[in-house]
Amino acid sequence: MIHVRHAAAAINEGLCKTALITHGESGRSRVAATPRPASPGSLAGQFEAPFGVMGPPTMFTIPVLRYMKTYGITEEQLAMVSVVQREWAARNPRATFKEPITVTDVLKSRMIAYPFRILMCCLVTDGGGALILTSPERANDFPKKPVYIVGTGESAESPMISQMEDFTSSRAFRVAGRKAFAEAGVGHADVDHLMIYDAFAHVPLYGLEDLGFCNPGAAAAFIAGRNTAPGRKLPLNTNGGGSATCTPGCMACMRCRRAYANCGGLRRRKLRAPRSPSHTGSAACSRPVVRSCSATSDREWSLVGKGEPPMSYAAPFAGLKVIDLSQGVAGPYCGMLLAQHGANVIKVEPTGEGDWARTIGRRYGGHTAYSIPTNLGKRSIALDLKSDEGKQVLWRLTGGADVLIEGFRPGVLERLGFGYDAVSGREPRILYLSVSGFGQVGPFSRRPAMDPVLQAFTGLMIDNKGEDGIPHRVPFVIIDMSTALYAFQALSAALYARLYEPRGRRIEVRLLPEESLTERVQH
């Protein structure tokens, strides 16, 4: 990004019309790489290496421990940085690691140098990237929409971590960010996509605070509150970051390309992120409505779905991850509504015949008239939740999930190890929706219930007598459908409320009271 600033200055002064910025490194293969130990004659070789530090994993422990002590930051909060970044990595086809992880996974991973576990550290890979910058006049000839550089900042504090002005703050971030915002003429409220260097889990915390998006010491809670996760208020490091994508040596180049994708509205085809242990900082602000000198030749992969931004009117639940364990109609139809509003819904079915709705009525391949409309837009997996292997897969799926829908009889999921207490213990912000016939407690709670049963139980069939005077079932799953709509309404309200709450909650929806309400409306 420093090269971007220098190239923009050169173009502005007429020294050139077009600049090509490239970077590549062989962090993993070590082809033509410089020796890892610092030169004895260098500043680090004289004043840091003799005291036992060896590379960024050990040097970065000095500031991060001071930061955690000063602001009372926990290891769990630090681990959440990696957890949220992995959610973005799952959307990046070029990321090295895409499987969801939990705070527990991070804290159980191998210790490198306290407090850093291996899942908090950047990867070491080969990588490279390129950018083209040109004048606004030349950009008008391009067939693809350019993005305009309107503000930049640059700063270098010190090549040695031990010489930082303040271990709880990066002067490089502060100086570069202040300059970039001033040049661009934008405020923090104008930014809806942020890319911050993140070689290790603590660096985004420094960036959010020193760039002014959070007060000092507040960034950890901001990320733990999932404000930077997919579909939330401030998408951060949407390529997946250094801990899941690749070595951050040329991370700035990739960050510029990702910002171009977001501002230009184009799809991203390939991503690779990269690393640098030097404590330097740079910043650039861009927006697509003013003069420009930036364009790239690569089409960009969409952040969500088919090029739609997170949480648009067309897909208000884009970025949400939903695990749907329910069967039949009521629970699955609620999950389908979430999917149709943009959520990523993963349907978990039992092995064998799967969801029992697949067996009702005439079959069309593996589906029936009941199972098709209730599962539109979902992805499906069959698991044996009584087996250890099936349980392990479900735990991986629930990692980072926003919503879990279940329709088992009360107590079944608890016996399988996936009750609300167990799941919320791992995913504290999850919304756990239970759909049942008669509720979770009470004399009828353990009885199975279906739409025809509730039509008879509530007396609805009395309102549907035939000419023979005999009550008949309403030829439509009206109780299941109305319950699904109430469940969707409850989840929508809870998702909105959770923007301002630190924890999720359990939501219970029952077929019996929903039908009673429907009957009162009819009368």
Side-chain angles (χ1 to χ4, degrees), residues 232-256:
R232 298 309 197 268
K233 64 172 67 175
L234 184 60
L236 173 66
N237 295 344
T238 54
N239 64 345
S243 64
T245 305
C246 56
T247 306
C250 54
M251 186 79 78
C253 188
M254 301 303 152
R255 299 214 185 296
C256 287

Side-chain angles (χ1 to χ4, degrees), residues 383-391 416:
L383 296 177
D384 178 6
L385 296 184
K386 295 182 179 179
S387 69
D388 292 338
E389 294 80 4
K391 292 179 179 180
L416 292 173

Side-chain angles (χ1 to χ4, degrees), residues 53-111:
V53 295
M54 177 59 185
T58 53
M59 290 189 293
F60 277 140
T61 59
I62 299 172
V64 74
L65 287 173
R66 170 52 56 191
Y67 177 87
M68 294 173 69
K69 175 69 174 179
T70 300
Y71 295 117
I73 306 303
T74 66
E75 293 181 70
E76 288 77 10
Q77 288 177 306
L78 193 63
M80 271 300 294
V81 176
S82 300
V83 171
V84 174
Q85 287 305 119
R86 185 64 68 87
E87 294 180 32
W88 284 113
R91 299 162 177 263
N92 178 1
R94 297 295 298 276
T96 301
F97 298 119
K98 303 183 181 67
E99 288 295 319
I101 56 175
T102 65
V103 169
T104 302
D105 293 331
V106 177
L107 296 182
K108 286 186 176 180
S109 65
R110 180 162 56 91
M111 179 70 74

Side-chain angles (χ1 to χ4, degrees), residues 227-408:
N227 292 288
T228 61
R232 298 309 197 268
K233 64 172 67 175
L234 184 60
L236 173 66
N237 295 344
T238 54
N239 64 345
S243 64
T245 305
C246 56
T247 306
C250 54
M251 186 79 78
C253 188
M254 301 303 152
R255 299 214 185 296
C256 287
R257 294 181 64 248
R258 176 62 99 171
Y260 168 75
N262 195 55
C263 293
L266 298 180
R267 294 186 179 182
R268 190 180 193 91
R269 177 167 59 90
K270 292 184 178 180
L271 262 173
R272 192 173 287 270
R275 153 192 138 160
S276 169
S278 63
H279 202 70
T280 61
S282 60
C285 295
S286 62
R287 53 185 177 185
V289 293
V290 291
R291 292 172 63 83
S292 164
C293 54
S294 174
T296 183
S297 60
D298 215 354
R299 291 188 62 81
E300 304 292 322
W301 185 275
S302 164
L303 293 181
V304 177
K306 299 181 179 179
E308 294 177 353
M311 298 184 70
S312 66
Y313 282 116
F317 291 150
L320 292 180
K321 181 181 179 182
V322 179
I323 305 301
D324 184 1
L325 297 172
S326 61
Q327 299 184 54
V329 176
Y333 193 79
C334 174
M336 182 277 293
L337 292 174
L338 292 171
Q340 296 306 303
H341 286 77
N344 172 24
V345 181
I346 303 172
K347 175 70 176 262
V348 179
E349 304 183 55
T351 54
E353 292 186 338
D355 184 343
W356 55 260
R358 295 177 181 266
T359 67
I360 301 176
R362 183 177 178 181
R363 295 178 67 94
Y364 301 88
H367 283 284
T368 66
Y370 282 97
S371 65
I372 293 174
T374 57
N375 292 290
L376 292 173
K378 301 179 186 178
R379 294 184 292 167
S380 177
I381 184 173
L383 296 177
D384 178 6
L385 296 184
K386 295 182 179 179
S387 69
D388 292 338
E389 294 80 4
K391 292 179 179 180
Q392 291 174 6
V393 173
L394 183 55
W395 277 126
R396 291 201 296 270
L397 289 175
T398 56
D402 298 282
V403 176
L404 185 145
I405 303 173
E406 64 94 6
F408 292 89

Side-chain angles (χ1 to χ4, degrees), residues 10-301:
I11 293 171
N12 186 63
E13 294 301 317
L15 300 179
C16 65
K17 293 182 179 180
T18 301
L20 172 64
I21 300 174
T22 64
H23 178 87
E25 73 173 77
S26 54
R28 185 173 184 83
S29 64
R30 307 299 296 167
V31 175
T34 55
R36 291 186 186 275
S39 169
S42 67
L43 290 175
Q46 296 179 69
F47 301 107
E48 286 186 342
F51 297 96
V53 295
M54 177 59 185
T58 53
M59 290 189 293
F60 277 140
T61 59
I62 299 172
V64 74
L65 287 173
R66 170 52 56 191
Y67 177 87
M68 294 173 69
K69 175 69 174 179
T70 300
Y71 295 117
I73 306 303
T74 66
E75 293 181 70
E76 288 77 10
Q77 288 177 306
L78 193 63
M80 271 300 294
V81 176
S82 300
V83 171
V84 174
Q85 287 305 119
R86 185 64 68 87
E87 294 180 32
W88 284 113
R91 299 162 177 263
N92 178 1
R94 297 295 298 276
T96 301
F97 298 119
K98 303 183 181 67
E99 288 295 319
I101 56 175
T102 65
V103 169
T104 302
D105 293 331
V106 177
L107 296 182
K108 286 186 176 180
S109 65
R110 180 162 56 91
M111 179 70 74
I112 301 301
Y114 187 81
F116 293 128
R117 271 72 173 180
I118 194 168
L119 290 180
M120 298 179 181
C121 302
C122 68
L123 305 179
V124 179
T125 67
D126 295 353
L131 295 168
I132 296 175
L133 275 75
T134 191
S135 64
E137 295 76 19
R138 180 68 181 89
N140 291 332
D141 298 330
F142 289 179
K144 299 177 182 179
K145 183 179 179 180
V147 168
Y148 303 85
I149 301 296
V150 295
T152 62
E154 176 183 340
S155 178
E157 181 172 358
S158 170
M160 294 194 297
I161 300 297
S162 63
Q163 299 306 303
M164 290 175 63
E165 179 183 64
D166 180 353
F167 283 149
T168 68
S169 173
S170 165
R171 188 177 67 185
F173 271 138
R174 297 197 308 271
V175 174
R178 192 161 50 240
K179 179 66 173 175
F181 275 110
E183 282 190 7
V186 301
H188 295 86
D190 298 312
V191 178
D192 54 14
H193 180 218
L194 183 62
M195 303 296 290
I196 296 177
Y197 180 84
D198 67 338
F200 289 79
H202 71 294
V203 182
L205 306 181
Y206 283 58
L208 284 168
E209 295 173 11
D210 294 331
L211 293 175
F213 290 93
C214 295
N215 291 327
F222 185 77
I223 291 179
R226 297 182 56 76
N227 292 288
T228 61
R232 298 309 197 268
K233 64 172 67 175
L234 184 60
L236 173 66
N237 295 344
T238 54
N239 64 345
S243 64
T245 305
C246 56
T247 306
C250 54
M251 186 79 78
C253 188
M254 301 303 152
R255 299 214 185 296
C256 287
R257 294 181 64 248
R258 176 62 99 171
Y260 168 75
N262 195 55
C263 293
L266 298 180
R267 294 186 179 182
R268 190 180 193 91
R269 177 167 59 90
K270 292 184 178 180
L271 262 173
R272 192 173 287 270
R275 153 192 138 160
S276 169
S278 63
H279 202 70
T280 61
S282 60
C285 295
S286 62
R287 53 185 177 185
V289 293
V290 291
R291 292 172 63 83
S292 164
C293 54
S294 174
T296 183
S297 60
D298 215 354
R299 291 188 62 81
E300 304 292 322
W301 185 275

